[in-house]
């Protein structure tokens, strides 16, 4: 039995090795037992990796015997040993020969279903169960929990009776197979289809181990459109292999019949629905879907006849029936599957998080009756969610973030749950936003103007990107209101990436559809039952006139402010009272009925870009070179903010300057003390100091956190002979780079600078908190944004 070691930070470890937290006990006793386990694999051999691990383990145990204090607690508490056994089973699909499959003891039965639906010879089956010795296996149980499942066991695939939902799902799956090598769905943004050029770019080399011979000659002549003199910059070359991606056509028409739904007496007999098929031979068939499978009936376009046609054609899978009645379908479908299997497995499965292409070419619009019926039919019959039930998106999103994350298996399970819930939420938000713009959702305030209307669909709140009640009148009107959701989304992403404990953000999706910008958000419990003014306990709801604060929010935001480099600053409310904020004044804190602390309206998480604020020229002197370029420029709105990537690059550069200044000052000090030594010794000492400082830069994420002073002192002065002098050097370097702390590097930004609605308690410190800094230095910090 192999012992697989999962350590913190090993993100490339196969996620199949993750088990439930209860199954991964990281206690010392279980670790010791797991280390001693070294049973042979299914083939009776011990792999070389296991032998090396055991030798290392024995060495570690001997070391522990020599040092008893190390046995009390492991150095890394996040080291968890997960037992994983690999063995081979045989799977017997109906009508084909059995095949062998290498599986893991920690896999789910559901993964066997996915393997069967992806294989070339079984991909057309959807309604089946997996049985072992006549017993149906639960889809959600692990293989190691199944009795009598061992090396060489025969697992049978048994066809199950169809229900209405299974029949609709089967028909949808067949349609997806027929369009699996067709990129039109991905270009048109159909559900769960995204573009992929992996197989095209690699020319199939990624899926084969065969050594291909080198071609005799390779044409390396660059195309004309990339040459400097060319004025034509086509986008079509960005889509490689577009002409070769189309697969063979298998059938002309496959859709629901006009005789649907079945009459009452035929429903009692088991008829589920009727299909209409036109083959490549121009033969027309009406097919009945029943619990036992699909068969051809005697109906025509003008007459309904439920009786089976003669000769009788019956098959459990629709593809098998079409192969019986159409030789051309059988031939082309086999060719289609071969082309499909040439793609990488990741390219064949539907993506849980869809990616849309903004440079999609204009493709030919072909007839697709299934696509037409999907556009106007109710699809709840084969959606994943349970019909008649609505998911509580906010509770689901917040609960997944509250999952335990102490050990690596717990973090893997947590990340899977977060990714799944967010992917489902984005998919539902896109559907809802399209339904809102198409007029299929009634507003919750129908008496208001259309621009001011708000909507709720599937527990998701939708609003339009218009200036409601002149909230953005001073910032650019509708242009500012259109940009505000995008800035808010960047703020939500920044806080969500920090993953703070105790502080929650709303699920937010931004959808641009038919010229409208729709913001979709999860709903805070209880927010619709009270006025917003009564709900906000931190921030302002009237653009700085009334500002409230809460000690709990201050404690939570202190951590995020340090990571996002937000400067604590004081502002004045309408009563001239000083309020300390750790975010922008627009940010709001609301305590939901679930006792969670939510933060929203994060559109000003990052400071303003004064290069596009003409009013900033009255407050600060711009560089003459910027003035020659026309800065500050007048933008269509004043909600211009610096990007987080720019701030991180700026902080990294200032951090390097800080280290260089400290190293230079220390070298100058050492040079005065060591005048009697030769230049070589001095150079060696200087290089050692620089190496020690570089090690701090590589080991610590100092660009985003405050550098601990003792680490810099230890790097500059490892002997501790001039600690006080080293502190003075660090303080001097901190002043020069604009750090708010003289003990280390801590540069922060004020998100409320140059905001006409904000009154600062200290107007002279608008831009950055630079203790004793000259205005020239502050100008330098601002001009770096260009």
């Amino acid at each position: 039995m192999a012992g697989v070691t999962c350590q913190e930070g090993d993100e490339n470890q196969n996620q199949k090795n993750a088990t439930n937290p209860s199954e991964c006990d990281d206690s010392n006793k279980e670790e010791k037992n797991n280390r001693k386990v070294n049973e042979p694999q299914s083939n009776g051999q011990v792999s070389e990796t296991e032998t090396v691990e055991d030798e290392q383990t024995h060495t570690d145990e001997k070391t522990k015997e020599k040092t008893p204090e190390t046995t009390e607690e492991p150095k890394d508490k996040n080291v968890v040993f997960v037992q994983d056994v690999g063995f081979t089973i045989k799977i017997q699909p109906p009508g084909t020969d059995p095949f062998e499959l290498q599986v893991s003891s920690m896999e789910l039965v559901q993964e066997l279903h996915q393997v069967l639906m992806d294989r070339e010879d079984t991909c057309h089956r959807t309604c089946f169960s997996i049985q072992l010795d006549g017993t149906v296996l639960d889809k959600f149980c692990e293989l190691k929990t199944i009795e009598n499942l061992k090396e060489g066991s025969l697992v049978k695939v048994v066809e199950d009776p169809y229900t209405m939902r299974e029949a609709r799902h089967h028909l949808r799956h067949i349609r997806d197979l027929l369009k699996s090598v067709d990129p039109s769905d991905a270009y048109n943004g159909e559900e769960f289809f995204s573009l992929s050029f992996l197989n095209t770019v690699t020319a199939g080399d990624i899926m084969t181990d065969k050594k291909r011979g080198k071609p005799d000659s390779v044409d390396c002549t660059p195309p004309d459109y990339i040459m400097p003199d060319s004025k034509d910059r086509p986008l079509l070359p960005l889509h490689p292999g577009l002409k070769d991606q189309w697969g063979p056509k298998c059938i002309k028409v496959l859709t629901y019949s006009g005789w649907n739904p079945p009459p009452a007496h035929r429903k009692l007999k088991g008829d589920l629905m009727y299909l209409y098929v036109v083959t490549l031979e121009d033969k027309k068939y009406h097919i009945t879907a029943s619990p036992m499978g699909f068969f051809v009936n005697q109906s025509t376009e003008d007459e309904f006849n439920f009786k089976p046609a003669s000769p009788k054609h019956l098959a459990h899978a629709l593809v098998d029936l079409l192969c019986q009645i159409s030789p051309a379908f059988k031939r082309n479908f086999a060719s289609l599957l071969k082309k499909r299997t040439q793609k990488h497995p990741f390219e064949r499965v539907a993506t849980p998080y869809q990616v849309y292409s903004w440079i999609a070419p204009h493709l030919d619009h072909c007839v697709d009756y299934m696509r037409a019926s999907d556009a106007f039919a109710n699809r709840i019959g084969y959606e994943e969610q349970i019909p008649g039930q609505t998911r509580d998106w906010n509770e689901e999103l917040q609960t997944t973030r509250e999952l335990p994350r102490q050990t690596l298996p717990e973090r893997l399970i947590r990340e899977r749950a977060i990714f799944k819930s967010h992917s489902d939420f984005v998919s539902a938000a896109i559907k809802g936003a399209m339904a809102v713009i198409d007029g299929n959702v009634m507003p919750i305030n129908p008496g208001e103007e259309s621009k001011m209307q708000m909507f709720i669909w599937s527990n998701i709140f939708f609003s339009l990107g218009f200036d409601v009640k002149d909230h953005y009148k001073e910032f650019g009107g509708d242009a500012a209101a259109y940009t505000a959701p995008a800035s808010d989304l960047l703020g939500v992403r920044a806080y969500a990436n920090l993953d703070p404990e105790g502080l929650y953000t709303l699920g937010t999706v931004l959808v641009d559809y038919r010229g409208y910008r729709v913001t979709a958000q999860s709903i805070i419990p209880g927010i619709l039952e009270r006025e917003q003014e009564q709900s906000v306990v931190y921030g302002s709801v009237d653009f700085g006139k009334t500002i409230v604060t809460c000690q709990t929010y201050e404690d939570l935001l202190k951590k995020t402010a340090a990571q996002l480099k937000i400067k604590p600053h004081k502002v004045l409310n309408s009563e001239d009272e000083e309020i300390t904020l750790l975010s922008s004044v627009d940010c709001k804190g609301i305590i939901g009925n679930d006792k969670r602390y939510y933060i929203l309206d994060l559109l000003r998480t990052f400071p303003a870009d004064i290069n596009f604020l003409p009013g900033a020229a009255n407050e600060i002197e711009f560089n003459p070179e910027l003035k020659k370029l026309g800065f500050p420029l007048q933008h269509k709105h004043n909600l211009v903010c610096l990007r987080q990537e720019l701030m991180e690059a700026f902080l990294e550069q200032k951090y390097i300057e800080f280290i260089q200044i400290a190293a230079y000052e220390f070298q100058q000090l050492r040079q005065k003390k060591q005048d009697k030594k030769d230049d070589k010794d001095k150079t060696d000492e200087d290089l050692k100091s620089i190496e020690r400082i570089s090690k701090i830069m590589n080991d610590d994420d100092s660009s985003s956190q405050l550098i601990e002073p003792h680490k810099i002192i230890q790097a500059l002065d490892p002997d501790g002979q001039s600690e006080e002098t080293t502190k003075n050097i660090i303080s001097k370097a901190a002043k020069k780079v604009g750090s708010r702390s003289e003990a280390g590097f801590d540069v922060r930004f004020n998100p409320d600078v140059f905001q006409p609605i904000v009154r600062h308690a200290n107007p002279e410190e608008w831009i950055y908190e630079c203790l004793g800094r000259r205005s020239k230095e502050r100008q330098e910090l601002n001009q770096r944004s260009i």
Side-chain angles (χ1 to χ4, degrees), residues 518-577:
V518 184
T519 303
Q521 293 177 311
S522 59
I523 302 175
I524 299 178
I527 189 64
L528 300 177
E529 302 172 4
R530 54 193 175 184
E531 295 294 334
Q532 189 179 30
E533 292 78 3
Q534 302 173 355
S535 304
V536 175
V537 297
Y538 175 86
S540 176
V541 295
D542 52 6
F543 299 97
K545 296 180 181 179
T546 303
I547 305 176
V548 294
T549 185
C550 174
Q551 185 61 40
T552 304
Y553 270 98
E554 290 184 4
D555 296 339
L556 293 172
L557 290 175
K558 281 181 182 179
K559 302 176 183 178
T560 59
Q563 293 175 295
L564 293 176
K565 299 303 179 183
I566 297 177
K567 164 196 162 185
H569 56 285
K570 296 181 179 180
V571 297
L572 302 176
N573 59 13
S574 58
E575 299 179 358
D576 293 336
E577 297 176 346

Side-chain angles (χ1 to χ4, degrees), residues 84 86 113 223 264 312 475 493 520 607-608 610 615 650 677 706 732:
D84 186 10
H113 282 255
K312 294 182 179 181
F475 302 97
R493 182 184 301 171
I610 64 172
F650 173 76
K677 293 186 177 182
L706 176 64
K732 184 177 180 180

Side-chain angles (χ1 to χ4, degrees), residues 448-449 452 454 466-473 543:
E448 301 286 347
E449 187 182 354
M452 302 174 61
M454 297 171 288
F466 295 105
D467 186 13
V468 180
K469 298 181 180 180
D470 295 334
H471 286 173
Y472 298 96
K473 183 177 180 180
F543 299 97

Side-chain angles (χ1 to χ4, degrees), residues 239-264:
H239 303 270
L242 182 61
K243 297 181 180 179
D244 300 331
Q245 293 186 19
W246 305 91
K249 188 175 182 180
C250 299
I251 198 169
K252 287 187 176 180
V253 177
L254 174 60
T255 185
Y256 296 102
S257 172
W259 297 112
N260 283 305

Side-chain angles (χ1 to χ4, degrees), residues 124-141:
H124 60 283
R125 301 184 182 277
T126 59
C127 188
F128 59 86
S129 60
I130 298 178
Q131 298 183 7
L132 176 64
D133 298 333
T135 303
V136 179
L137 303 182
D138 184 8
K139 290 183 179 181
F140 302 101
C141 70

Side-chain angles (χ1 to χ4, degrees), residues 1-6 13 17 33-43 45-51 53-54 80-87 104-106:
M1 184 176 295
V4 182
T5 305
C6 301
Q13 176 66 39
N17 293 335
N33 293 336
N34 287 338
R35 290 178 178 179
K36 293 182 179 181
V37 174
N38 185 22
E39 297 180 1
Q41 293 181 343
S42 58
N43 55 7
Q45 299 178 357
V46 180
S47 65
E48 182 179 354
T49 305
E50 293 172 339
T51 306
E53 289 179 358
D54 290 337
V80 179
F81 290 85
V82 183
Q83 300 297 330
D84 186 10
V85 180
F87 57 96
S104 169
S105 62
M106 301 178 64

Side-chain angles (χ1 to χ4, degrees), residues 607-617 619-622 626 631-634 640-642 753-755 767-768 778-779 781-786:
D609 188 351
I610 64 172
N611 297 290
F612 297 92
L613 294 176
E619 304 292 341
I620 190 172
E621 183 179 356
F622 274 72
L626 294 177
F631 290 98
L633 299 175
Q634 179 64 53
V640 286
C641 298
L642 299 177
V753 294
F754 297 108
Q755 301 302 330
I767 306 172
Y768 303 100
R778 292 198 299 239
Q779 294 170 14
L781 293 173
N782 284 274
Q783 292 163 4
R784 288 297 182 95
S785 63
I786 191 61

